[in-house]
Amino acid sequence: MSPANASHNRFGAHAAPITSATYGFGTLAIHAGSEPDAATGAVIPPLSLSTTFKQRAVGDFVYEYSRSDNPNRSNLEAAVAALEHGTHGFAFSSGSATTATVLNTLQPGSHVISVNDVYGGTHRYLNKVAQSMGVTTTFVDLAHIDNLRDAIRENTRLVWIETPTNPTLRLVDITTVAEIAHEAGLFVVVDNTFLSPYFQTPLDLGADIVVHSATKYINGHSDVVMGVAVTSNDALASKLRFLQNAIGAVPSPFDCYQAQRGIKTLHLRMRQHALNAQRVAEYLEASSLVESVIYPGLKSHPQHELACRQMRGFGGMVSFRIRGDTHTADRFLQRTRLFTLAESLGGVESLAELPARMTHAGLAPEERNELGITGNLIRLSVGVEDIEDLIADIARALESAVRENDDEIAF
């Protein structure tokens, strides 16, 4: 959402922008970027599939061409910018396209510092694609802040944070990282996918850009692939807007329409995700069939205090190590009924996966071991179903998988 268009209804009406300075989260989620249609009075802005738009005179237009801008995309960008407390929002065709576009703001010869426990697709892009374009990356454990200071070079330009990390749910102190990075003249990017802006707003904590795989919680219904970025830095926004148009990795109007519909219930969904995840984590922690549980909302999480300080809630993601090995984990994943064995996360339905063999299979075995992504580590995306049903589903699968493993060992 560019400042020039911040108060403009894209179909012609003018109104004061709905911003986080004047409204609460739920109100923003429903109303930001969603002014009634000026032409028809439709309460929900219509789907605009047109690829090109009539100009009043040469160069006199609100919209020109849908790769450059589109009413539905503009509405969505205004909404995500408001929710993340930023002034410029950008939508892309996927989370990976968002990552690529942000990193394309860097010149060849630049150096990036990334948290080591990062999403496998981000690791792949930094290691395989960005490197071939002359951008190098150092992966460090940012839970220990001295590692950041030690990794900064003369050509370092950007620090990439994911917090909580995927899949081991480690946390990074955004405020401290931003202070150190800014002292050195570096930009800070935070991947906020796991929490959504409902539970964490990184720009308020000092980040320069916040990114999401909007496929996950922002859309929330597992039927749209999309990414978004938000910033309040005008210079960065100008670069991102240029690259968004020049590279052209933009989402369709229909996907933008769907994602904005999802946003309208984001606050309601995130509350229930977190309530359910807390109950699941507590159940798993009490089970003798589980080696360990990782969830920021548990007091046993080593960074629980940071979670309470930095986040407004603990999210819907839970990771745990089942008692046994990768075969035990595989059996568990095949025997759940409500937790579907599938990649991705953040939908209303519950999902489960084995990171070592699925989302993070692209990492070398020694890298996975160093990060704690063991063969028996299971990642749960806890949905919004009835919690009693979810716990019963986990209990049945745990009992069956672990007992069979014990029988095999005894035999």
Side-chain angles (χ1 to χ4, degrees):
M1 181 179 66
S2 64
N5 294 322
S7 61
H8 193 276
N9 179 307
R10 297 307 190 154
F11 290 86
H14 290 267
I18 294 178
T19 69
S20 58
T22 50
Y23 294 100
F25 191 97
T27 303
L28 288 173
I30 293 168
H31 292 286
S34 192
E35 294 290 338
D37 179 34
T40 66
V43 172
I44 299 300
L47 177 61
S48 177
L49 296 174
S50 184
T51 58
T52 191
F53 300 87
K54 180 181 178 179
Q55 300 187 19
R56 293 179 287 264
V58 175
D60 181 9
F61 55 84
V62 176
Y63 293 97
E64 179 184 20
Y65 186 64
S66 265
R67 186 190 70 246
S68 303
D69 209 352
N70 169 278
N72 296 113
R73 196 173 90 218
S74 296
N75 290 341
L76 174 64
E77 291 174 341
V80 296
L83 294 179
E84 280 289 4
H85 300 172
T87 55
H88 308 274
F90 305 90
F92 300 90
S93 55
S94 69
S96 295
T98 307
T99 298
T101 304
V102 169
L103 291 170
N104 262 279
T105 64
L106 302 178
Q107 295 296 317
S110 297
H111 173 248
V112 173
I113 298 171
S114 170
V115 62
N116 58 347
D117 190 8
V118 72
Y119 165 57
T122 303
H123 187 280
R124 178 175 59 241
Y125 189 89
L126 288 167
N127 233 10
K128 304 292 185 182
V129 182
Q131 187 169 345
S132 69
M133 299 167 63
V135 175
T136 58
T137 304
T138 301
F139 296 93
V140 300
D141 180 0
L142 291 177
H144 303 287
I145 205 64
D146 286 341
N147 292 340
L148 174 60
R149 293 188 178 93
D150 293 342
I152 294 175
R153 305 175 186 172
E154 186 177 340
N155 62 333
T156 304
R157 297 292 178 266
L158 184 149
V159 180
W160 190 282
I161 298 174
E162 192 175 293
T163 182
T165 60
N166 180 9
T168 57
L169 304 179
R170 294 186 179 115
L171 306 182
V172 177
D173 187 331
I174 298 172
T175 299
T176 301
V177 167
E179 289 173 354
I180 294 171
H182 292 159
E183 286 175 4
L186 316 180
F187 292 115
V188 176
V189 179
V190 177
D191 186 335
N192 201 29
T193 297
F194 266 35
L195 288 180
S196 88
Y198 184 69
F199 285 136
Q200 181 172 265
T201 40
L203 297 183
D204 293 341
L205 300 171
D208 299 290
I209 301 175
V210 58
V211 298
H212 291 263
S213 171
T215 308
K216 294 12 181 229
Y217 288 114
I218 284 182
N219 178 62
H221 293 80
S222 300
D223 55 8
V224 168
V225 174
M226 186 186 294
V228 297
V230 176
T231 185
S232 293
N233 183 304
D234 292 344
L236 286 174
S238 179
K239 289 183 180 180
L240 290 171
R241 185 66 70 190
F242 173 80
L243 290 169
Q244 182 189 46
N245 184 51
I247 297 172
V250 295
S252 72
F254 181 73
D255 282 353
C256 293
Y257 182 93
Q258 288 283 88
Q260 188 159 14
R261 184 174 70 168
I263 279 177
K264 292 177 186 295
T265 59
L266 180 61
H267 54 306
L268 305 177
R269 290 185 286 107
M270 293 310 298
R271 289 174 196 160
Q272 196 59 46
H273 281 299
L275 287 171
N276 283 357
Q278 184 75 36
R279 289 279 302 277
V280 166
E282 290 171 355
Y283 171 80
L284 290 169
E285 190 170 49
S287 174
S288 62
L289 306 179
V290 172
E291 287 183 1
S292 61
V293 184
I294 312 169
Y295 183 65
L298 294 176
K299 291 182 179 179
S300 58
H301 191 288
Q303 296 169 295
H304 179 69
E305 183 180 342
L306 173 60
C308 293
R309 187 170 73 248
Q310 180 167 277
M311 297 145 56
R312 294 182 293 273
F314 306 116
M317 301 302 297
V318 178
S319 293
F320 73 98
R321 293 183 177 88
I322 194 168
R323 200 183 82 199
D325 56 16
T326 187
H327 302 295
T328 317
D330 195 14
R331 280 194 290 265
F332 170 86
L333 292 166
Q334 292 181 49
R335 293 173 188 180
T336 53
R337 297 173 185 172
L338 299 179
F339 281 86
T340 302
L341 174 56
E343 297 191 5
S344 198
L345 59 104
V348 291
E349 71 291 329
S350 293
L351 302 176
E353 65 115 5
L354 192 63
R357 291 166 55 190
M358 295 173 67
T359 53
H360 290 69
L363 297 180
E366 57 272 16
E367 290 179 300
R368 290 198 300 269
N369 289 334
E370 182 181 347
L371 295 172
I373 306 174
T374 55
N376 66 337
L377 179 72
I378 294 169
R379 189 190 75 180
L380 302 178
S381 175
V382 183
V384 299
E385 301 94 335
D386 290 327
I387 187 57
E388 294 80 6
D389 295 330
L390 294 180
I391 289 177
D393 190 43
I394 290 171
R396 282 191 301 266
L398 271 177
E399 181 72 23
S400 174
V402 176
R403 296 305 179 206
E404 185 172 326
N405 183 70
D406 290 346
D407 290 343
E408 287 179 356
I409 293 173
F411 180 80

